[in-house]
Amino acid sequence: MNKAWALLRLASPQLPIGGYSYSQGLEMAVEQGLVSDQDSAQRWINDQLLLNLARFEAPLLLAHCTAAANADWLRLGELAGEHRASRETRELALESRQMGYSLKQLLDGLPELDTAARSLLQQHEPCLALAWALAARAWQISPSDALAAWLWGWLENQLAVLMKTLPLGQQAAQRLTSQLLPVLEQAQRQASELEPAHWGSAAFGLALASMAHERQYSRLFRS
């Protein structure tokens, strides 16, 4: 079987886990005027990738996928607990829980998930990183490719948010994609090389945007 099909399946927006219901604080950044055009959007996404995701979210997810691929269930459970504890706001915690629950429900109904992985999935609270790692294991996707799929999905979702909240058309979104793909590559490389002792970020702007978004009067996204 063509390995690209499994990777496309994991990264596809058709994966029914609700990712496009969330903006990761970007909707509030638009509301506050922090993001108002293509240039400011590029700065926001660039900073999120290199100052936040590459320093913590991405290496943590990669560790999940590596532990799942190696059937290191004890380590995987510890990482899932660390991921849940790291959610800085109520919205971000609910996002991980809801998307993790949806992916868990999907995996439960598929034959590819082996018995040990299925048992672990049932033992833990819903968590997107845990479910993503087990989906990669079930579909025989390497940890590095699973991380690439996750980063691509994150970027694609951010661009979709911009097209809904800014006067940003599809051509402008594609130009942004061309500008940001090298940054995406850099984020993946940094995440792959970062030692666990150095994991961590202090994304205060994201946390503040997420908390303010909970009280935003009119909004399109859940976070």
Side-chain angles (χ1 to χ4, degrees):
M1 183 181 294
N2 191 331
K3 292 184 178 180
W5 293 340
L7 186 59
L8 290 168
R9 182 183 187 183
L10 184 62
S12 172
Q14 297 301 315
L15 195 68
I17 60 175
Y20 280 75
S21 298
Y22 300 95
S23 78
Q24 291 269 318
L26 181 53
E27 184 177 22
M28 192 66 226
V30 172
E31 173 75 13
Q32 294 175 334
L34 298 172
V35 174
S36 58
D37 54 23
Q38 183 174 329
D39 290 341
S40 57
Q42 182 180 352
R43 286 194 299 272
W44 175 272
I45 295 175
N46 185 93
D47 287 350
Q48 289 291 0
L49 281 169
L50 297 183
L51 303 180
N52 182 27
L53 301 186
R55 295 181 178 183
F56 183 71
E57 295 268 357
L60 181 60
L61 182 78
L62 179 62
H64 277 77
C65 295
T66 301
N70 295 333
D72 189 347
W73 308 124
L74 178 61
R75 176 61 175 157
L76 187 55
E78 292 172 349
L79 289 166
E82 185 173 346
H83 186 274
R84 284 191 296 270
S86 70
R87 302 304 86 192
E88 297 165 301
T89 69
R90 180 177 178 271
E91 278 198 344
L92 294 176
L94 289 174
E95 177 181 347
S96 176
R97 188 182 307 161
Q98 183 272 313
M99 293 177 65
Y101 175 81
S102 297
L103 188 50
K104 175 182 176 180
Q105 294 297 102
L106 170 65
L107 292 173
D108 270 343
L110 297 178
E112 297 98 328
L113 195 65
D114 58 89
T115 302
R118 194 179 301 276
S119 176
L120 183 81
L121 192 61
Q122 296 298 331
Q123 293 172 20
H124 289 271
E125 294 180 20
C127 169
L128 178 59
L130 173 63
W132 190 272
L134 293 177
R137 173 185 171 85
W139 296 334
Q140 300 181 14
I141 299 170
S142 71
S144 61
D145 283 346
L147 174 60
W150 181 79
L151 285 169
W152 170 256
W154 182 89
L155 176 60
E156 193 174 30
N157 184 48
Q158 292 286 281
L159 294 173
V161 172
L162 291 172
M163 286 190 288
K164 293 177 181 178
T165 56
L166 286 180
L168 188 76
Q170 290 183 334
Q171 290 190 7
Q174 286 299 319
R175 286 194 295 271
L176 262 179
T177 301
S178 295
Q179 293 166 347
L180 289 165
L181 279 178
V183 184
L184 204 67
E185 179 74 19
Q186 183 181 349
Q188 182 182 17
R189 184 173 63 254
Q190 289 181 2
S192 302
E193 296 172 352
L194 196 64
E195 295 295 329
H198 299 294
W199 292 355
S201 66
F204 299 120
L206 174 63
L208 291 171
S210 178
M211 287 188 288
H213 188 262
E214 294 180 14
R215 302 183 300 277
Q216 186 172 336
Y217 175 71
S218 176
R219 60 185 188 177
L220 298 173
F221 301 92
R222 287 172 150 182
S223 74

